[in-house]
Amino acid sequence: MILNIIRQEVKMASQSTGIQQLLKAEKTAADKVAEARKRKNRRLKQAKEEAQAEIDNYKAQREKQYKRYEQSVLGSRGDMETKIDINTKQKIEEISAGVKKNKEQAIKELLDLVLEIKPLVHKNLVPKV
């Protein structure tokens, strides 16, 4: 009987040690999993940063290429603005010269139309007999 009690106590002590070892192993495994997740997140973040850097580099390269093409085909914007300004000034000068040239004649014709009244019978008027 005493022997059985001692065996049970030894068995319980070994089970307690086994439980502690299992808990320790579980904690170690949880730590390793957490560390692996951290490494994975760091790698993902690094991959995103590298991808964004590549995208920015490619975008800058394409932008430069487009600017060169635009420059070769259309010329610079400053040149276009200058041409438009010159063309606009020329047209304004032409219109102003036309106004000066025809101003007196236009005023005379308007005054003649307003001041010279010629009474006429309307063509739809049917004379009453």
Side-chain angles (χ1 to χ4, degrees):
M1 187 80 152
I2 295 180
L3 191 58
N4 283 338
I5 294 175
I6 294 174
R7 283 184 187 158
Q8 284 179 346
E9 287 181 15
V10 170
K11 189 176 182 184
M12 289 180 71
S14 69
Q15 286 177 349
S16 175
T17 305
I19 291 173
Q20 288 178 355
Q21 287 177 343
L22 286 174
L23 290 173
K24 185 177 179 181
E26 185 180 347
K27 184 178 185 296
T28 304
D31 290 343
K32 287 183 179 182
V33 168
E35 183 62 33
R37 284 188 181 142
K38 287 179 185 177
R39 282 195 310 267
K40 178 184 172 189
N41 287 336
R42 279 195 302 259
R43 283 195 310 263
L44 284 174
K45 185 177 178 182
Q46 182 182 5
K48 284 181 184 179
E49 290 172 354
E50 289 173 1
Q52 188 61 43
E54 279 186 43
I55 289 169
D56 292 342
N57 187 20
Y58 180 75
K59 187 176 179 181
Q61 179 185 2
R62 293 296 288 180
E63 185 70 26
K64 286 179 186 178
Q65 192 176 26
Y66 174 74
K67 291 291 184 187
R68 283 194 304 263
Y69 175 75
E70 183 181 44
Q71 188 75 18
S72 67
V73 173
L74 299 176
S76 69
R77 290 184 180 142
D79 292 343
M80 294 299 280
E81 289 176 10
T82 305
K83 289 177 184 177
I84 290 171
D85 287 343
I86 291 172
N87 191 14
T88 303
K89 287 178 184 177
Q90 286 176 345
K91 287 184 180 182
I92 290 172
E93 289 174 3
E94 289 173 5
I95 292 171
S96 295
V99 167
K100 282 183 181 180
K101 179 180 175 184
N102 297 322
K103 182 179 178 180
E104 292 297 325
Q105 182 66 27
I107 291 174
K108 183 182 179 296
E109 287 179 15
L110 280 172
L111 287 175
D112 287 345
L113 287 172
V114 171
L115 296 176
E116 291 182 20
I117 301 172
K118 298 177 186 174
L120 297 174
V121 176
H122 195 272
K123 63 182 178 182
N124 289 337
L125 180 66
V126 179
K128 292 185 180 179
V129 180

